[in-house]
Amino acid sequence: MPIHLPPLSRRQFLTGSLAASAGLLLRSRGFGATPDIDPHAWALISDPHIAADRAKLGRGINMAAQFTSVVEDVLRQPRRPAAAIINGDLAFNTGEAADYATFLELVAPVRNAQIPLHLALGNHDHRARFWAAVPAGDPAQRPLADRQVAMLRSERANWFMLDSLDQTNSTPGLLGESQLGWLARALDANASKPALVMTHHNPSLSPTKVNIIDEAALFAVLRPRRHVKAYFFGHSHRWTVEKDESGLHLINLPTTAYVFEQGRPAGWVVAQVQPKGIRLQLRCLDSNRAEHGQSVELGWRA
């Protein structure tokens, strides 16, 4: 699977560049401990914008420090998620190789905690440099040779991860006919279980603003397939939970970095898939915010 980063072995972690700084983590949790894992919970993270320089600021925010706080919060959960997804804009601006090197250092504690990690691409990523930095199996086995897509199976739902990166450091996204064709076929072949679709780019907020160039074609795939229950996205650095006219849930994940609108929360989301819906808990970087820890329950459309 091209976007899967398996857990680190003890040897890999100790010989990595984070070994010295992670000593406290190892002493406090231990490699031999068996944590309590929720098999239905997923850590959903978006838009970290990690630069090569950990001191780099974006809109006055230290992005590496904020992402580190999110990683620590994931590992502090009383029941750890079965897996984590980071939904694009892994890199700061233009997807440089050194950005991905720092990103991999910062996510090492997640992998050390034996949490599988799945990565998507956003408009500030660079596909070739990402693939060079994060090798993951035989490229010939990718569902699409030129895109970063995958289906992740779980007991209660399947996740379909798409690649909306068109041009690096250019705002609009594009899926393309081959990717939409793969999505339609994969959804049809797995129609017996709820489907959750994740793409970096958000739907258009107004008729005049284009975020996904072929958005109409995407929703023509999603809406009539009633087993598709939710569309997750990032890109806009906003936390919102909405529903369209077809009953499809539209979930905008918060950024771990800087917000575009003052007053919006930064953080991540715990998604617990239930038999007939999903519970989303917002985890704010600022734990003093009123919405920190609040949950919303969403039922699946019929």
Side-chain angles (χ1 to χ4, degrees):
M1 188 176 297
I3 56 175
H4 174 69
L5 274 178
L8 286 170
S9 69
R10 186 175 190 275
R11 179 182 297 275
Q12 287 173 314
F13 185 77
L14 289 176
T15 57
S17 58
L18 277 188
S21 62
L24 179 60
L25 178 68
L26 285 172
R27 289 194 296 272
S28 63
R29 293 192 174 270
F31 245 96
T34 302
D36 188 10
I37 297 173
D38 184 343
H40 308 299
W42 296 71
L44 305 183
I45 300 167
S46 193
D47 297 88
H49 289 275
I50 301 302
D53 179 4
R54 296 189 188 199
K56 178 76 173 179
L57 300 182
R59 301 189 180 218
I61 297 298
N62 185 308
M63 299 161 290
Q66 299 235 129
F67 186 66
T68 297
S69 294
V70 166
V71 167
E72 292 171 350
D73 194 35
V74 171
L75 299 182
R76 277 197 303 265
Q77 296 303 297
R79 298 192 73 194
R80 287 184 179 173
I85 297 175
I86 305 182
N87 187 31
D89 282 358
L90 313 177
F92 172 57
N93 198 33
T94 55
E96 301 302 322
D99 296 346
Y100 295 120
T102 299
F103 171 82
L104 289 173
E105 292 173 356
L106 295 178
V107 297
V110 176
R111 300 176 66 196
N112 168 58
Q114 303 303 293
I115 299 174
L117 185 62
H118 307 282
L119 307 176
L121 298 179
N123 57 296
H124 289 291
D125 290 305
H126 187 284
R127 196 174 290 109
R129 289 196 283 266
F130 169 79
W131 280 341
V134 190
D138 183 0
Q141 296 185 10
R142 294 179 186 138
L144 296 174
D146 61 345
R147 290 281 181 155
Q148 184 81 356
V149 303
M151 185 182 82
L152 311 176
R153 299 180 185 274
S154 70
E155 180 181 341
R156 292 177 176 171
N158 294 321
W159 294 80
F160 295 80
M161 297 182 64
L162 305 181
D163 180 348
S164 57
L165 168 59
D166 182 25
Q167 298 180 43
T168 299
N169 204 26
S170 177
T171 300
L174 179 70
L175 296 168
E177 290 185 11
S178 62
Q179 184 171 191
L180 290 172
W182 170 82
L183 176 63
R185 293 189 299 274
L187 288 172
D188 290 344
N190 295 276
S192 62
K193 189 179 293 185
L196 309 176
V197 177
M198 181 174 288
T199 307
H200 176 72
H201 281 78
N202 59 297
S204 299
L205 301 178
S206 72
T208 60
K209 184 173 182 179
V210 176
N211 291 307
I212 304 177
I213 295 169
D214 47 0
E215 176 183 315
L218 168 64
F219 281 92
V221 171
L222 302 182
R223 285 182 174 135
R225 291 169 168 84
R226 304 299 293 185
H227 69 292
V228 180
K229 306 302 186 183
Y231 177 66
F232 292 80
F233 50 92
H235 187 57
S236 68
H237 295 209
R238 301 171 77 243
W239 164 243
T240 60
V241 178
E242 299 173 313
K243 186 163 59 173
D244 76 359
E245 63 271 19
S246 74
L248 183 70
H249 294 295
L250 305 174
I251 300 153
N252 196 163
L253 299 173
T255 178
T256 71
Y258 48 84
V259 296
F260 295 138
E261 302 168 65
Q262 188 174 2
R264 293 281 181 180
W268 64 287
V269 172
V270 182
Q272 186 187 55
V273 183
Q274 300 176 328
K276 296 183 179 181
I278 194 167
R279 177 188 294 121
L280 304 173
Q281 183 191 63
L282 176 63
R283 303 290 303 175
C284 297
L285 277 158
D286 179 1
S287 60
N288 293 318
R289 294 184 64 101
E291 62 264 58
H292 174 65
Q294 290 183 353
S295 295
V296 59
E297 302 267 356
L298 305 179
W300 295 149
R301 63 176 180 167

